Amino acid sequence: MRYQHVSISGEPNITMVEETAINGRRFKPDMVVAIGGGSVLDMGKALAAIIPNQGDVYDYVEVVGRNVPLKTKPLAYIAIPTNASTGSEVTKNAVLRSGQDQVKVSLRSPDMLADVAIVDPTLTYGMNQYLSGRGAMEVFTRLMESYVCGDPNPLSDMVCEEGLRRLGRSLLQACMHDNPQARSDLSFAALLAGMASSNAKLGAAHGLAASLTGKLDAPHSIITARLAPYVMRENIDAAIAAKRKDVVRRYGTLAQILTGRHNAGVQDGILWVQMMLDKLELPQLSHFGVCATSFEKVAEDA
């Protein structure tokens, strides 16, 4: 069997996909198999879509490109995650950096869903606390924003609640102690996070991160995680001011699931997030150079 191995470091960008796709067209593969974290899965998904299609990546990406639908069906694609993170193994888009625009954008099509997704928690065993923590907090942010978004539905609610339940009971045990049952819970929660964000919508944490990630040398998962408690607080305050009891109620349910306490209030959910960030020792955004002078531009781009 002939195969071509491609290794990537960091989050994929449009140039990286274009250059690799050119080589891929010469090789003429029958399928793409991606084994790795969310960035690797997005790269594999993008290659499976671009290799059989003419033109460059900017013809097909959203926001900064022409957003033309794929003319040819993508290559067969198998996704094998080795970290519990974005749930990319069950989403229909690949998130890519656009260096020239300093923003992250999506290459998206219903045909980009993986033909096979192999989610094996044992592949996450032994991963260090930093990488595990980054991934786990990305799982949280996707589940949280899908649950409290402006367009939820009964299916996404059910998926989110089960994902949050597994995440709340397993996050620290998985990331800090490599507990096998907790690793299994976390991998399943990541799978559900991908399903949730594919069937509902995300929010300001991911919207702002799309702008910030293009400008900073910082992992997407760190940015969304560090933004999450502030976005939650703003949304809760706005919902209270607008007398949106339905939204406030969702944040209350979120807090109760995460903490395991039936009497938990909306602020307890925010405190839980901040406690997880501190225990996992994830860096602040200031560590990557974020300061007040960048706020206006980031908000405008988001």
Side-chain angles (χ1 to χ4, degrees):
M1 181 177 67
R2 293 171 61 247
Y3 68 91
Q4 190 173 70
H5 179 259
V6 176
S7 179
I8 73 163
S9 177
E11 297 174 351
N13 60 56
I14 289 175
T15 301
M16 189 189 302
V17 173
E18 284 184 344
E19 292 175 350
T20 310
I22 290 170
N23 292 329
R25 287 171 184 144
R26 296 193 192 107
F27 184 72
K28 297 181 180 179
D30 294 316
M31 69 172 62
V32 174
V33 181
I35 307 173
S39 293
V40 173
L41 300 189
D42 276 3
M43 180 71 171
K45 204 183 306 184
L47 288 174
I50 293 299
I51 287 173
N53 280 278
Q54 299 300 314
D56 60 32
V57 181
Y58 279 102
D59 289 331
Y60 304 103
V61 295
E62 302 171 344
V63 184
V64 299
R66 294 174 57 211
N67 198 21
V68 174
L70 297 175
K71 297 179 178 64
T72 303
K73 187 176 176 63
L75 299 174
Y77 172 61
I78 299 174
I80 308 175
T82 59
N83 188 14
S85 182
T86 62
S88 180
E89 63 271 18
V90 289
T91 62
K92 60 184 178 183
N93 67 302
V95 182
L96 309 172
R97 283 177 183 256
S98 173
Q100 67 185 41
D101 303 290
Q102 291 192 312
V103 70
K104 290 190 78 171
V105 295
S106 276
L107 171 65
R108 188 186 310 271
S109 169
D111 291 331
M112 287 173 61
L113 283 167
D115 295 278
V116 177
I118 301 174
V119 182
D120 181 354
T122 64
L123 297 177
T124 70
Y125 289 5
M127 182 168 290
N128 66 47
Q129 179 180 311
Y130 175 65
L131 291 176
S132 294
R134 274 173 43 184
M137 291 309 296
E138 173 67 13
V139 174
F140 162 73
T141 310
R142 282 181 175 269
L143 289 168
M144 178 271 290
E145 292 202 311
S146 297
Y147 191 60
V148 300
C149 76
D151 192 22
N153 60 75
L155 173 63
S156 63
D157 283 352
M158 183 170 58
V159 168
C160 287
E161 288 177 8
E162 180 61 19
L164 290 164
R165 191 172 295 111
R166 288 176 180 258
L167 180 77
R169 73 191 185 197
S170 67
L171 190 151
L172 293 180
Q173 284 295 313
C175 298
M176 300 178 71
H177 304 292
D178 209 23
N179 177 276
Q181 182 55 52
R183 286 288 191 191
S184 181
D185 270 348
L186 197 54
S187 288
F188 191 54
L191 177 74
L192 295 178
M195 291 179 175
S197 59
S198 294
N199 288 282
K201 293 183 178 179
L202 294 172
H206 276 84
L208 291 164
S211 172
L212 275 170
T213 309
K215 297 172 174 58
L216 302 176
D217 185 20
H220 168 84
S221 52
I222 295 287
I223 295 174
T224 56
R226 279 295 177 184
L227 288 171
Y230 299 100
V231 168
M232 291 170 70
R233 182 175 292 114
E234 288 293 324
N235 282 336
I236 290 167
D237 289 346
I240 291 172
K243 298 182 179 180
R244 287 290 305 273
K245 292 182 179 180
D246 56 325
V247 176
V248 177
R249 189 180 303 114
R250 281 181 177 270
Y251 276 102
T253 302
L254 179 81
Q256 290 162 13
I257 294 173
L258 291 171
T259 63
R261 294 180 7 235
H262 295 299
N263 62 343
V266 292
Q267 298 302 323
D268 294 313
I270 297 173
L271 291 173
W272 182 91
V273 180
Q274 292 173 327
M275 182 175 70
M276 293 302 110
L277 291 169
D278 291 343
K279 284 184 176 292
L280 293 169
E281 299 178 342
L282 297 182
Q284 299 275 357
L285 294 187
S286 57
H287 175 80
F288 301 101
V290 176
C291 58
T293 56
S294 60
F295 290 174
E296 188 171 334
K297 177 60 176 170
V298 168
E300 180 184 343
D301 289 347

